[in-house]
Structure formats: structure tokens, C-alpha cells
Amino acid sequence: MRRPGRAERPSRAGQQPRAGRPRRRGLSGTLPATLRGRLALLALVTTVLWVALLTAAFNVALHEILRRQADDLLRTRAAAVAATVDIRADGTIAVREPGDDGALDSGIWIYRGAHVVERPAAPEPLQRRADALAGKGTRFADTSTPRSTRLYAMPLSSGGVQVATVVAAASLEPYLLTARSALAGSLGLALLLVGGVYLVTRMVIGRALRPVSTMSDQASRWSRYGAAQRFGAREARPAELAALAANLDQLLDRQAAVLRHEQQLTAELSHELRNPLARITAETDWLTARPRTADQSRSSHQAIAAAATQMAQICRTLLSEARQPSAAAGRCAALDVARAVADRSRAEHPEAPPVTASGEPVDVGVTPELLERVLAPLLDNARRYAARAITLECVRLPDGARVFVADDGPGVPAEHAEAVFEAGRRFGSETDAHDGAGLGLPLARRLARAAGGDITLVPAPRGARFQVTLPPG
């Protein structure tokens, strides 16, 4: 039986055969992990490309210069020999023999037509190459046998007709040796230059990034211990790092503000949920203390359900405002909400001074739940200090409405008109002994401002009078 091949083996469920899954290798597997290494690598690649271009250009230019020098030498030698050749009227030529002409005779051929008149002692391949240039006009030719040689043919004419040809030959070995030496020297210099640039670049980049490492260590320590330090502006930093430090400080400030907002939201939720939770606890203790009648149990159950519903509304309103602090979409009748809040206050706090609601019917641009959460802390504050009565008054305005919450208590000194809206601040009597945390009024103002309104403390003949400004509905 034939054994199945690798491609025929069944794969696991949900998997393709190993041979069918291409392997991918990301850039993270080929690039250095550090910024210093990547910048040094970038500088190295750039330097290599630039040095390679310069080296190639230098060697090409040097090769061209050496070739021109060889051609100039061949032309000079050919012209010197041509000066010794006389063309007679009958088309024959005569070669004058100057004294000490050994330098001229070396590598020189003189042809009359295709017939060689004078020739040097040369290898056969070089001789054939010189013969091929006779009578062909001005030409250059190269041969590599037996060694690299360049030839130049200069025509000698009479009456516009080429009669003779002088062919000069010169070895290219000295020029090639110069070119090879220059290439080796330039490559060695390029390697030294690239290596030096790489080392210097790593050193310079390391020193340049040292402030970044310092900032990173600082941020690590601050995050570990939760410190409130900031990088700040230092003249010793480069402009880019100074801008980075400023941006990081802004980010840290925003994060700190978010943390403060979350802490404030947690405190406000605890503050707002305290009353309904206390009501649920009291009703539960009252139910379990001793047997109750059916009506009493039903009344307690209703009170517990109402308090739980109120807690749900508080959570929904505060969390919605925290998620979208600028959104206040909704509409309600301010007077109806004020009357409902007053009725609930009388029912839940029968021992407190009564709350009355009056004024003009007016629609405002907030939800009923949000308006209740704005008015509730103001009523809690009024109940603590009112002597005999608490009033809610709705007033219509061209651009919205105002709801006044007033009590006949001791009031608030004028110099504390804004301080009462600071979280944790209380300005009651030292003997009132209430358990307020000083969060109700700041919460009410924040909710009102998020809805496009505001809360201010306005002068009153007696007691405290808070003005709630609301947008039109």
C-alpha cells in the first residue's frame, strides 16, 4: 500500500496543511528594537548609499580621464611619426629617419595603403589588429591579447585621398593599474567612512536621546508612586523635547482631571444615594423589628420600592451627565416638577418645615429627572436651616426660566456667596450637627451648568435664596 505523502495527510479540524500556510515576517523581526538602533541603521543605510554613489561616480570619472590620457598619448605619438612621413607626387611615401628615434619606432606602424612600410616587433594578434586599421580612416581599437593595448590609426592624405596610415599602439596596463588602485583605495576609504559614521552616529544619537531616557525614567517613577510632579519647561532641553514635555504635562493634567472627576462622581453618587438608602434601611428595620399588619407591610414595601426607584433615577441621571456632560436634551414643565419635588419632600420629611411650590407654568429644556437632581440638593440644604417654611417659585423669562429656592433660616454671609458651591465647604452653625458632606450644592450647580443654566445665591431679606436659571424648552 502506498503511504500518503505530506500533502495528503489530513489536517486538524479548522487548520490548513502546514505547507499551505504562508509565513509572514513583520518589520519588527528585521529592525532593531530601540529607537537609537533604528536611527543609527537609517543613518548607516543612507551613508552607504551616498558613499556607494560617490565611489562609483569617482571611479567612472577616473576611468574616463585615464582613457582620454591614453588617447591623447596615442594622438601625440601618431602626429610625431606623421611629421616624418613625406608623400610624393607619384603617391609613394618616404620616411625620414630622425636621430634617436627609438621612442618613435616603439609601437608604431606605417602603411602605404594596406601595405606595411614599417612595423615594430609585435605579437601576431596585435599585428593583425594593426593591419585591420590600415586605410580605414581615423579610428581607435582595443585588444586584450597578449595584454590590454589600445591602438589609434591616423590617416595621411594627398589631394583628398588617403595615401598612408600611421598606427600607434600603447599598453593600457599602467592606466588599468592606476584605476584598480584607485578603486581599491576608494572602497577602503568608503568602508572606513561608513564604519566611522555609524559609530559616531550611534554615539551622537545616544547622547541626543539621553534626555528622553531620563524623562522615561521619571515617568516610570511617577506612575509607580502616583506623584503629581510634571516635567516642566527646562532651557537645557532641545525644542522638540521641550514640546514633548509640555504635551506630556498636558496629558498628565487631563488624566489627573479625569481622576478627580471620577472621584467627584463617586462622592456625589454616595451623597445623593444616602437618603434613599437610609429610607430603605429604616423601612427594612421597621418591618423586621416585630410583626406588622398587612397595610403596614404594604406601606413599607411601597416606601422601599419608591426609594429604590429614586436611587435608580439618581444613578441614571448622574451617570448620563458624567458620560455626556454637555448634552441636556429633554423638556419638562418646571412648575410640575417643582410641585412633585415639594410633595415628596413633605411626605419623606414630615417633621421638617413644609415646602410649597408656586409660580408660572413654564417649559424648560431639561429632563424632569435632571431638574429633580438640581432641586434636591437645594431642598436638602434649605431643610437643614429653615425655621418655618421653604418655598419654590417658578418665573418665566424670554430666554428660559428661573426657579427660586428660598428658606427663612440664618442665611449665608455675602462674602461666602461663591464659596458655598465649593466641594466640601459648609457654612452652617457649628451646633447644627448635620451629616452633610458639602457636595450637594456643587453637584446642583454642575448639573445646571451642564444643561446650559446656572445656580447662584441671590440677596434675600431673610434666609438664603438660590436662583436656578434654566434654558427654554
Side-chain angles (χ1 to χ4, degrees), residues 26-334:
L27 291 178
S28 60
T30 59
L31 294 178
T34 62
L35 178 60
R36 174 185 176 183
R38 295 190 179 189
L39 291 177
L41 179 61
L42 177 61
L44 175 63
V45 172
T46 304
T47 304
V48 167
L49 294 177
W50 181 241
V51 170
L53 178 63
L54 292 180
T55 303
F58 166 75
N59 283 277
V60 170
L62 178 62
H63 185 271
E64 180 65 19
I65 292 173
L66 293 176
R67 186 188 63 81
R68 291 181 180 178
Q69 289 180 351
D71 292 347
D72 292 341
L73 175 62
L74 291 173
R75 291 191 186 96
T76 301
R77 293 186 63 198
V81 172
T84 65
V85 177
D86 296 329
I87 302 177
R88 299 170 180 170
D90 58 357
T92 60
I93 62 174
V95 179
R96 298 191 302 273
E97 296 293 338
D100 193 15
D101 61 348
L104 292 179
D105 290 340
S106 177
I108 295 295
W109 288 263
I110 301 176
Y111 293 89
R112 178 178 177 276
H115 175 69
V116 61
V117 176
E118 286 191 9
R119 55 174 293 181
E124 185 62 27
L126 185 59
Q127 181 62 47
R128 289 196 300 268
R129 193 62 175 164
D131 294 342
L133 294 176
K136 301 294 180 61
T138 303
R139 287 190 179 184
F140 285 95
D142 294 316
T143 180
S144 59
T145 55
R147 57 181 181 175
S148 296
T149 306
R150 188 167 179 79
L151 297 92
Y152 170 68
M154 173 181 286
L156 302 178
S157 302
S158 176
V161 178
Q162 181 176 350
V163 177
T165 305
V166 176
V167 177
S171 175
L172 296 179
E173 290 299 327
Y175 302 97
L176 295 178
L177 178 60
T178 301
R180 286 192 291 266
S181 300
L183 177 60
S186 61
L187 290 177
L189 181 61
L191 291 177
L192 292 177
L193 178 61
V194 169
V197 168
Y198 180 72
L199 295 178
V200 172
T201 301
R202 283 188 62 88
M203 181 181 65
V204 171
I205 292 176
R207 296 188 62 180
L209 293 179
R210 192 173 301 165
V212 178
S213 301
T214 302
M215 293 171 61
S216 177
D217 295 338
Q218 290 175 344
S220 178
R221 291 194 301 270
W222 297 345
S223 63
R224 186 181 304 117
Y225 300 109
Q229 291 95 336
R230 297 293 183 266
F231 294 105
R234 295 182 181 178
E235 297 181 359
R237 290 197 184 109
E240 295 82 357
L241 293 183
L244 175 61
N247 293 333
L248 290 177
D249 286 344
Q250 293 179 2
L251 178 60
L252 292 174
D253 291 339
R254 285 194 294 270
Q255 289 182 340
V258 170
L259 291 177
R260 289 195 300 270
H261 179 72
E262 291 180 352
Q263 294 171 352
Q264 181 182 8
L265 177 62
T266 303
E268 291 171 350
L269 278 171
S270 175
H271 176 271
E272 291 296 303
L273 294 176
R274 181 180 54 192
N275 288 338
L277 183 60
R279 180 70 180 276
I280 292 175
T281 303
E283 293 292 343
T284 303
D285 293 341
W286 188 76
L287 278 174
T288 58
R290 60 182 179 178
R292 303 295 175 182
T293 64
D295 291 340
Q296 290 175 336
S297 297
R298 186 181 307 106
S299 177
S300 294
H301 291 161
Q302 291 175 352
I304 292 174
T309 301
Q310 185 180 5
M311 292 176 66
Q313 290 180 351
I314 291 173
C315 292
R316 183 170 58 253
T317 301
L318 293 184
L319 292 177
S320 176
E321 188 276 334
R323 287 192 296 266
Q324 297 178 342
S326 61
R331 184 180 182 185
C332 68

Side-chain angles (χ1 to χ4, degrees), residues 352-378:
V355 181
T356 58
S358 62
E360 306 172 79
V362 57
D363 291 336
V364 293
V366 297
T367 62
E369 295 81 7
L370 182 60
L371 182 55
E372 290 183 9
R373 297 271 53 81
V374 171
L375 296 178
L378 298 176

